[in-house]
Amino acid sequence: MANKIHLNKLAEGVTAWNDWRATNPNIDVDLSGVYLVYEISIRNQKKAWRLLTPFISLLVTLFLVHTNVTEHLIYIFENNPLFKVIPIL
C-alpha cells in the first residue's frame, strides 16, 4: 500500500516532488499499488470541476434571469394544487 504522504507530495507537482526528494534523499519512496494514471486523472477532474463550478453557476444564473424561468416556476408552485401546503393537525 502506498504511503499517503508520498502520494500527496507527488500530487503537489513535479517541482515540489523534486525539491522534497532533494531534501530527503534517504527516504524510501513507497508508491506501491498506485495506478498513477488513474490518480492523476481523478485529481485533474476534481481540479477542473473546482475551476468550472463558478462559471457554470454564472451561466445558470444568467439563463434564469434572461428567460424569466424563475417567475414561471414561482407561478407554477403558487397556483398548482399539487404544491399546496397542507397543515398538519
Side-chain angles (χ1 to χ4, degrees):
M1 187 70 154
N3 184 315
K4 294 281 186 191
I5 295 170
H6 300 168
L7 191 56
N8 288 335
K9 185 55 72 174
L10 185 60
E12 291 177 22
V14 174
T15 304
W17 175 262
N18 289 340
D19 291 345
W20 180 75
R21 289 299 293 147
T23 58
N24 299 288
N26 297 329
I27 293 178
D28 292 328
V29 176
D30 180 11
L31 297 174
S32 60
V34 176
Y35 182 43
L36 291 177
V37 173
Y38 174 77
E39 291 293 330
I40 292 169
S41 173
I42 293 298
R43 289 174 192 270
N44 286 341
Q45 287 175 7
K46 289 178 182 178
K47 185 177 181 181
W49 278 113
R50 279 194 303 272
L51 293 173
L52 287 174
T53 300
F55 181 66
I56 293 170
S57 177
L58 176 64
L59 288 177
V60 168
T61 302
L62 289 173
F63 172 77
L64 292 174
V65 168
H66 181 70
T67 60
N68 296 325
V69 170
T70 50
E71 286 81 11
H72 294 304
L73 288 174
I74 291 169
Y75 177 81
I76 290 169
F77 281 109
E78 288 178 344
N79 297 306
N80 192 322
L82 292 174
F83 300 110
K84 293 291 182 197
V85 177
I86 301 172
I88 299 175
L89 300 174

